Structures are given as structure tokens and as C-alpha cells.
Amino acid sequence: MAPTNPVNGKGTYEIRIGLWATREQALEVKERLTRALCPGPEHEGPCEIPWSSAVLEPQVVDEGGDHYEELVTQARIEGSY
């Protein structure tokens, strides 16, 4: 469990986004999200709201169970599986 500051209620929250994409497409989406969170990456000092991001390979996502069953089903229906 991630720590929470009892004084101000701040803690680590995780926002998950599952993508049915190629690695290149996933990296492009990550880059776009990065620019949305921090439009000036060359700024001095830390971001106002600390954050991090990562792109997990399908093998790693599968190890934790299929949290994206609906996404895979949608890809099969649309023919992009």
C-alpha cells in the first residue's frame, strides 16, 4: 500500500489506461500524455504535481491477470485482434 499524508490527504494514485495498439502507438500515446501532464518538460525544478509513467509490454500486463478483457473483446469484434 502506498503511503498517504494524513495532514493533507495526498497520496499516490494510479490511473490505468489500457490500449490495444502496437508498441509504437503505445509510446506515442505515452508521449502525448506526458506533454499533457508537463507541457514544459524543460522547466526548472520538479513538476507541481509529481508523476511518472511507463509502458508495460503485453506479457507483463498478462502476468497480473486480464484487467482488460473488455478491450480484447472489443478488438476481436472490430477485427483488429
Side-chain angles (χ1 to χ4, degrees):
M1 181 160 83
T4 302
N5 183 325
V7 175
N8 62 20
K10 290 185 178 180
T12 301
Y13 290 83
E14 181 177 65
I15 299 171
R16 291 182 170 221
I17 300 172
L19 301 173
W20 186 261
T22 65
R23 178 171 175 70
E24 292 76 23
Q25 290 169 324
L27 291 172
E28 174 60 26
V29 169
K30 178 182 178 277
E31 180 60 30
R32 289 180 185 191
L33 291 171
T34 297
R35 287 192 302 263
L37 291 170
C38 185
E42 302 303 320
H43 63 78
E44 290 188 27
C47 288
E48 184 178 331
I49 299 174
W51 63 277
S52 68
S53 65
V55 173
L56 302 178
E57 299 293 330
Q59 303 87 327
V60 177
V61 174
D62 288 343
E63 287 176 5
D66 189 0
H67 300 288
Y68 300 109
E69 186 175 331
E70 296 87 9
L71 184 65
V72 175
T73 300
Q74 179 182 346
R76 286 185 173 136
I77 292 169
E78 293 176 356
S80 63
Y81 184 80

